[in-house]
Amino acid sequence: RRQDILEEMVALRREFDPDLVLCPSRFDVHQDHQVIHDEARRAFKDRTLLGYELPWNCIDFSTALLVTLSEDALRNKQAAFACYRSQAFRPYGDGSAIEQLARLRGGQAGARYAEAYEVIRWVWKTG
């Protein structure tokens, strides 16, 4: 149903007109995430497109962009992830893995917490 997914993304592009879109990394081996990545590249090819890191699915990853996080932002991310009850039993489901990764990426960014993103496309609009 790739075409349906693409058409939904194109509709979202028209409705929201985003400058920045986040999608799974190209290195994510989960088959559903790969489809979302591929269709996001098609639907948002004229936008800044960043791939997010899911270490449990990524065999490789490009940390080309680091974004620092406040402690509140980290807690909000953990709370949002906790809403995915289907993932609660997994080793990363309790939120501690999210904090550990944020600390690691923060060390790379010279901050307490950060997130890493793969730069798929960077569109810089001037004027």
Side-chain angles (χ1 to χ4, degrees), residues 12-26:
L12 289 168
R13 185 187 70 210
R14 287 188 193 122
E15 181 179 352
F16 295 106
D17 192 29
D19 293 324
L20 171 66
V21 177
L22 304 178
C23 69
S25 165
R26 74 173 181 252

Side-chain angles (χ1 to χ4, degrees), residues 1-40:
R1 310 212 44 199
R2 294 176 76 103
Q3 188 63 37
D4 293 338
I5 292 168
L6 174 61
E7 289 175 18
E8 183 66 27
M9 287 185 181
V10 169
L12 289 168
R13 185 187 70 210
R14 287 188 193 122
E15 181 179 352
F16 295 106
D17 192 29
D19 293 324
L20 171 66
V21 177
L22 304 178
C23 69
S25 165
R26 74 173 181 252
F27 301 108
D28 194 315
V29 297
H30 191 285
Q31 65 274 14
D32 295 344
H33 300 179
Q34 290 173 351
V35 170
I36 297 301
H37 169 86
D38 291 345
E39 299 313 320

